[in-house]
Amino acid sequence: MKMESEEIRGILQPLCDDVQEQISYNREERDQWNSKVRKLLDERNELNRQVKELITEVQNQKSLRDEANQTVRELKDLRAERTETLREDRTVFREKIAENSAKDEREQKLDRTRSPGRIRTEIERLERQYNEGRFLGKKEREFVSKMKKLHQELREAKEKKSDGGIRELKIQLRDAEKKQEDAHKKVKRAVVGAQEAHDLMAELSEEVDRLREKANSAQSGVTRAKREADSLHGRYIVSLRCIHSMQDLLKAIEAREGSSTEEEEQVEVADLMTRLMSGDTLSTDEIMALQRN
């Protein structure tokens, strides 16, 4: 069955208009999706940049935390040493107190020496009597001799009342307590600093995870948008090929108008038209062969 040129033109021309509209639609949609791809890529790249910076900061903070933890360990060792020193000093002090107490009890039982206070009282009494003129002549020598003995007795009594090094031990103990307390305060400050560094590192790590998740979401968006853009671009290319094929076919028909047409040429044109209507596209060789005929 032969198809007249006007029939073919009447079919192809509306198809060309429809395809042209489809081309415009596909191109606009493709460009919009490509714009989304670029926007999402910029967002993803910015998020990845922030993630990279935060990871560097996390590493720096981790180093600070590790240094702080090392300081804590060292200060705890120092505190332990000073605590042990304090414990030893307290033990020595208590033993010394007990020893002196026992010694005093023994001396009080065995020693009949008067106390320094009683000796001073007697010295003062004799000095008053001397000032009153009770030691005249030979008695004055007796007074001087008596006073020498009393002063010697007073010195010996004072030596017996010595604390036996208790005062020095008290000073040493207070110094040990001060050093132990200072070491403890330093440990507490170091622990606080280490904990703050750890908390900040954990906070930064959480922010890294959050931004990384957003970056992954943006990358998924890039993939989806690129898939849509590629699909629309493919349809755009197909539409272009279709319209070019139909336009070339119309040109070939116009070029052969006015001349006699062989039946097999009509069949070939009809065959090309059928293929085109079914959704096939014509190759360049087919179009050129059609033009030659």
Side-chain angles (χ1 to χ4, degrees):
M1 179 179 178
K2 296 182 179 181
M3 299 183 67
E4 298 293 337
S5 297
E6 289 300 327
E7 284 184 276
I8 296 174
R9 188 180 290 108
I11 295 172
L12 290 180
Q13 193 59 53
L15 284 175
C16 285
D17 295 337
D18 292 341
V19 173
Q20 187 62 52
E21 291 180 4
Q22 190 64 34
I23 287 173
S24 299
Y25 172 80
N26 289 336
R27 181 176 61 248
E28 291 173 1
E29 288 294 307
R30 179 201 64 186
D31 292 345
Q32 289 181 8
W33 279 105
N34 280 332
S35 178
K36 289 181 181 179
V37 168
R38 287 189 292 271
K39 182 179 179 181
L40 288 167
L41 280 173
D42 291 341
E43 180 183 350
R44 182 203 64 184
N45 292 339
E46 174 60 21
L47 288 169
N48 284 334
R49 183 190 66 79
Q50 294 179 24
V51 166
K52 184 177 180 181
E53 290 181 353
L54 281 175
I55 288 175
T56 300
E57 185 59 30
V58 167
Q59 293 171 344
N60 292 336
Q61 202 62 37
K62 182 178 181 297
S63 297
L64 292 175
R65 183 204 62 180
D66 293 343
E67 290 176 4
N69 284 334
Q70 179 61 30
T71 300
V72 168
R73 287 190 290 270
E74 292 172 356
L75 288 174
K76 282 184 175 180
D77 291 341
L78 177 62
R79 182 183 64 181
E81 292 176 4
R82 291 184 175 179
T83 299
E84 179 62 21
T85 299
L86 177 59
R87 187 189 66 79
E88 292 175 354
D89 288 347
R90 282 173 174 169
T91 300
V92 171
F93 182 76
R94 285 194 294 267
E95 291 175 350
K96 192 67 175 179
I97 291 293
E99 178 184 338
N100 284 359
S101 178
K103 181 179 179 182
D104 289 343
E105 291 180 3
R106 290 194 302 271
E107 288 179 349
Q108 287 177 4
K109 292 178 180 179
L110 300 175
D111 193 0
R112 301 300 179 182
T113 303
R114 293 182 296 175
S115 68
R118 291 182 62 186
I119 297 172
R120 287 194 198 95
T121 300
E122 185 173 355
I123 290 173
E124 291 171 358
R125 182 179 62 79
L126 291 174
E127 285 178 346
R128 283 195 304 270
Q129 290 177 355
Y130 179 79
N131 292 332
E132 291 172 356
R134 295 186 184 185
F135 294 98
L136 299 175
K138 294 181 179 180
K139 289 186 177 180
E140 185 173 0
R141 287 195 297 272
E142 181 182 343
F143 167 78
V144 172
S145 176
K146 183 66 174 177
M147 290 295 288
K148 287 182 178 179
K149 291 179 179 179
L150 287 173
H151 282 292
Q152 177 64 28
E153 185 181 359
L154 178 61
R155 284 194 296 273
E156 292 175 354
K158 285 182 178 180
E159 289 177 359
K160 288 183 178 181
K161 285 293 181 180
S162 172
D163 62 5
I166 295 294
R167 183 172 179 275
E168 288 75 12
L169 286 176
K170 282 184 178 179
I171 294 173
Q172 182 177 338
L173 183 60
R174 283 196 296 269
D175 182 63
E177 289 174 343
K178 182 179 179 181
K179 288 180 178 180
Q180 194 274 344
E181 181 63 23
D182 180 64
H184 180 64
K185 289 180 180 179
K186 287 180 178 179
V187 167
K188 290 174 66 177
R189 287 195 297 269
V191 167
V192 170
Q195 186 61 46
E196 288 177 350
H198 176 76
D199 292 343
L200 180 55
M201 186 193 73
E203 183 180 343
L204 290 172
S205 296
E206 290 178 0
E207 183 65 10
V208 166
D209 292 339
R210 188 184 69 83
L211 291 177
R212 183 173 283 155
E213 184 176 351
K214 289 184 67 176
N216 291 337
S217 177
Q219 176 58 36
S220 297
V222 168
T223 302
R224 289 192 301 269
K226 193 173 185 305
R227 187 184 301 119
E228 290 292 334
D230 291 344
S231 176
L232 287 164
H233 181 68
R235 285 183 287 192
Y236 170 73
I237 295 299
V238 169
S239 298
L240 280 179
R241 288 175 178 172
C242 287
I243 198 169
H244 288 164
S245 296
M246 288 187 289
Q247 288 174 348
D248 289 342
L249 186 55
L250 287 172
K251 289 178 182 179
I253 292 172
E254 290 175 0
R256 296 190 60 81
E257 278 186 348
S259 63
S260 59
T261 305
E262 296 293 335
E263 183 177 351
E264 60 183 34
E265 291 176 349
Q266 292 289 348
V267 172
E268 183 180 358
V269 170
D271 180 60
L272 290 174
M273 183 61 185
T274 300
R275 288 175 55 196
L276 189 60
M277 294 284 289
S278 65
D280 291 343
T281 56
L282 301 180
S283 67
T284 304
D285 291 339
E286 288 174 328
I287 296 299
M288 293 180 65
L290 182 59
Q291 290 176 340
R292 286 196 299 271
N293 292 330

